[in-house]
Amino acid sequence: MERVDRCVVLVDAGYLLGAAASLLAGEPARSRITVDHAALIQGLRERAEADTEQPLLRIYWFDGAPDRVPQPEHRRLRVMPRVTVRLGALTRSDGRWAQKGVDAAMHAELTELARNRACSDVVLVTGDGDLLPGLMSAKEHGVAVHLWAVQAADGDYNQSEDLVAEADERRVLDRAWITKAVRAKETGAICAPQPAPRPEIAAILSAPLPEAALAASAERASEAQAAARAGAPPAPRPETGTPEPAPAHGHKGVPTPKDLAALRASAAGPAAPAQNHSAPVPSATLRWSSDRGWADRGSLGEPPETASLPTLAQVTTAEQRWADREEDITTVGGDPFEVGQVFARRWMDRLPETVHLQKLSTMYPRIPHRIDGELLRYAARFGLLAHKDDQIDEHDRYAIRAGFWREIDITAAVDHVPAPE
């Protein structure tokens, strides 16, 4: 069988992106970097063809994923020309993520390509010494092996010395090359940088984490109980000077909107009618965008102003649904802020009447429950569940909803949508 003169690139994504994160952000966590995958693939292709002086056959992208379910980046990569994605398992042990099956898959692909004489040159982007047998097997079949390294942070050596010794050629992808497609996220950022949001959106993004809220709630509860035993009135709220109601009993985690509505009702006294407590609690609006549970609606169903708002599914045709899916796979990056913006843009573009946008604007910062649920279900497609009991991470929820409102703001400002009197 005659060997074909072309090159193949095998990329260990865990090594490439982890080393890039170490180089640019100071730690190997891939969450600390933002990757332009289209630019990265194009850079790999151009570099491989230049180094090997052979046309590219294919780039194989090896990575881990929870339950081997493709994540947003994998879905974008596998529809790119000349790119094949191979997924191993990603498991969590002792608080750390670990890949399983990726090295074995790379070894199998490398030896199969060499045995079948599918290429003349193989580029390996990896540092794992477990690939040494596969590398040696490829050489025995007459394939030239090029080993690429990512410039190491602080001089640390990030490749197996045995791999380096056995490779036919070695190149280093330096900082200048890496930064053409990869950049470090700003410290403390929870989403990609966006135009300066209005102060209320900044408040949503900076809302306390659940642990901080729970600690503060527990401290206030202890103070209230101590004051009750001593016969003293509850301590006033710092921001209003009014007594802080005792927390509802029995709830776990961050208080739900229903818990907060019950607190407000109990603070107002038994004689106050329920319909007077549907106004949002100021401290809660920073944490919750959904209006579910603000008042016990009973058999009345949703409020008329909420029920009249169409969901995205109701204003989307079958053809638009197909186009949306195509855009999700090939264009939408999966950043939480961006996901919220995309959802809001589609919803606004398809509204049959501008009055719906006017109604929504008056509800800020709460998103009607039906639309909010649809928004979070859409976000779940992009791997934002984080495998935490199928719940989207708190920071991601802030960013998703802030992105939604940011897009509403931009459109309202352009269209000069007046608020209804």
Side-chain angles (χ1 to χ4, degrees), residues 323-346:
D324 289 348
R325 194 62 174 168
E326 179 79 6
E327 182 184 12
D328 290 344
I329 292 173
T330 59
T331 306
V332 180
D335 176 87
F337 198 102
E338 179 192 11
V339 167
Q341 287 184 303
V342 171
F343 182 94
R345 184 163 57 249
R346 291 174 183 172

Side-chain angles (χ1 to χ4, degrees), residues 92 186 193 285 291 350:
R92 193 170 181 84
E186 294 180 8
T285 57
D291 63 354
R350 297 166 193 174

Side-chain angles (χ1 to χ4, degrees), residues 201 289 336-345 347-348 357 360 364-368 371-372 375 397-411:
I201 291 180
S289 295
F337 198 102
E338 179 192 11
V339 167
Q341 287 184 303
V342 171
F343 182 94
R345 184 163 57 249
W347 184 78
M348 289 186 293
L357 182 56
L360 180 68
Y364 179 86
R366 295 182 295 151
I367 303 175
I371 297 175
D372 188 53
L375 169 61
R397 273 187 279 170
Y398 301 150
I400 292 165
R401 286 155 172 167
F404 177 92
W405 280 115
R406 181 59 176 167
E407 195 67 20
I408 297 291
D409 267 359
I410 293 172
T411 301

Side-chain angles (χ1 to χ4, degrees), residues 219-233:
E219 182 178 353
R220 288 195 300 268
S222 299
E223 292 175 354
Q225 291 172 0
R229 287 194 295 268

Side-chain angles (χ1 to χ4, degrees), residues 73-349:
E73 64 183 270
H74 303 139
R75 292 198 295 269
R76 292 194 301 278
L77 283 163
R78 65 185 184 182
V79 298
M80 292 181 184
R82 304 277 179 156
V83 177
T84 296
V85 176
R86 297 278 190 260
L87 294 180
L90 191 63
T91 60
R92 193 170 181 84
S93 177
D94 297 328
R96 300 181 63 183
W97 290 101
Q99 294 183 159
K100 289 188 176 180
V102 172
D103 295 337
M106 288 189 71
H107 179 275
E109 199 72 56
L110 176 58
T111 53
E112 192 71 13
L113 288 167
R115 184 181 300 114
N116 292 326
R117 298 181 176 272
C119 59
S120 58
D121 297 74
V122 168
V123 174
L124 289 178
V125 187
T126 185
D128 198 329
D130 290 345
L131 263 84
L132 182 61
L135 184 153
M136 297 176 68
S137 175
K139 290 174 62 178
E140 291 171 359
H141 283 87
V143 173
V145 179
H146 305 252
L147 183 64
W148 288 1
V150 175
Q151 180 180 336
D154 300 327
D156 292 336
Y157 208 72
N158 58 13
Q159 277 188 314
S160 162
E161 292 188 21
D162 290 334
L163 278 183
V164 174
E166 285 293 334
D168 295 305
E169 303 282 350
R170 185 171 183 264
R171 297 285 184 272
V172 175
L173 305 177
D174 59 16
R175 181 186 293 268
W177 190 92
I178 292 293
T179 52
K180 291 178 181 178
V182 183
R183 64 177 177 82
K185 291 182 180 178
E186 294 180 8
T187 303
I190 63 173
C191 56
Q194 299 292 332
R198 65 190 190 188
E200 296 91 338
I201 291 180
I204 292 176
L205 294 176
S206 62
L209 289 173
E211 293 77 8
L214 285 174
S217 177
E219 182 178 353
R220 288 195 300 268
S222 299
E223 292 175 354
Q225 291 172 0
R229 287 194 295 268
R237 291 177 183 167
E239 67 272 19
T240 63
T242 57
E244 176 93 25
H249 297 290
H251 77 266
K252 297 180 179 179
V254 179
T256 66
K258 189 171 184 179
D259 293 330
L260 295 168
L263 290 176
R264 190 177 181 87
S266 62
Q275 61 268 28
N276 290 339
H277 310 310
S278 59
V281 181
S283 63
T285 57
L286 298 182
R287 178 165 295 283
W288 297 95
S289 295
S290 171
D291 63 354
R292 185 178 189 180
W294 284 114
D296 187 2
R297 294 188 289 270
S299 60
L300 298 178
E302 288 188 276
E305 65 274 12
T306 299
S308 64
L309 290 175
T311 63
L312 178 61
Q314 291 172 333
V315 294
T316 299
T317 65
E319 185 175 337
Q320 288 172 327
R321 191 173 299 112
W322 179 88
D324 289 348
R325 194 62 174 168
E326 179 79 6
E327 182 184 12
D328 290 344
I329 292 173
T330 59
T331 306
V332 180
D335 176 87
F337 198 102
E338 179 192 11
V339 167
Q341 287 184 303
V342 171
F343 182 94
R345 184 163 57 249
R346 291 174 183 172
W347 184 78
M348 289 186 293
D349 288 346

Side-chain angles (χ1 to χ4, degrees), residues 13-70:
Y15 166 76
L16 173 60
L17 300 182
S22 294
L23 179 64
L24 302 181
E27 59 181 274
R30 288 161 62 171
S31 60
R32 295 291 308 279
I33 56 175
T34 299
V35 183
D36 182 341
H37 289 90
L40 182 58
I41 292 299
Q42 183 62 27
L44 289 170
R45 177 171 187 166
E46 292 175 355
R47 182 70 178 262
E49 290 182 336
D51 280 7
T52 65
E53 300 181 349
Q54 301 294 346
L56 178 76
L57 170 62
R58 190 173 297 116
I59 295 176
Y60 288 91
W61 185 272
F62 296 87
D63 202 2
D67 301 323
R68 289 187 168 86
V69 176

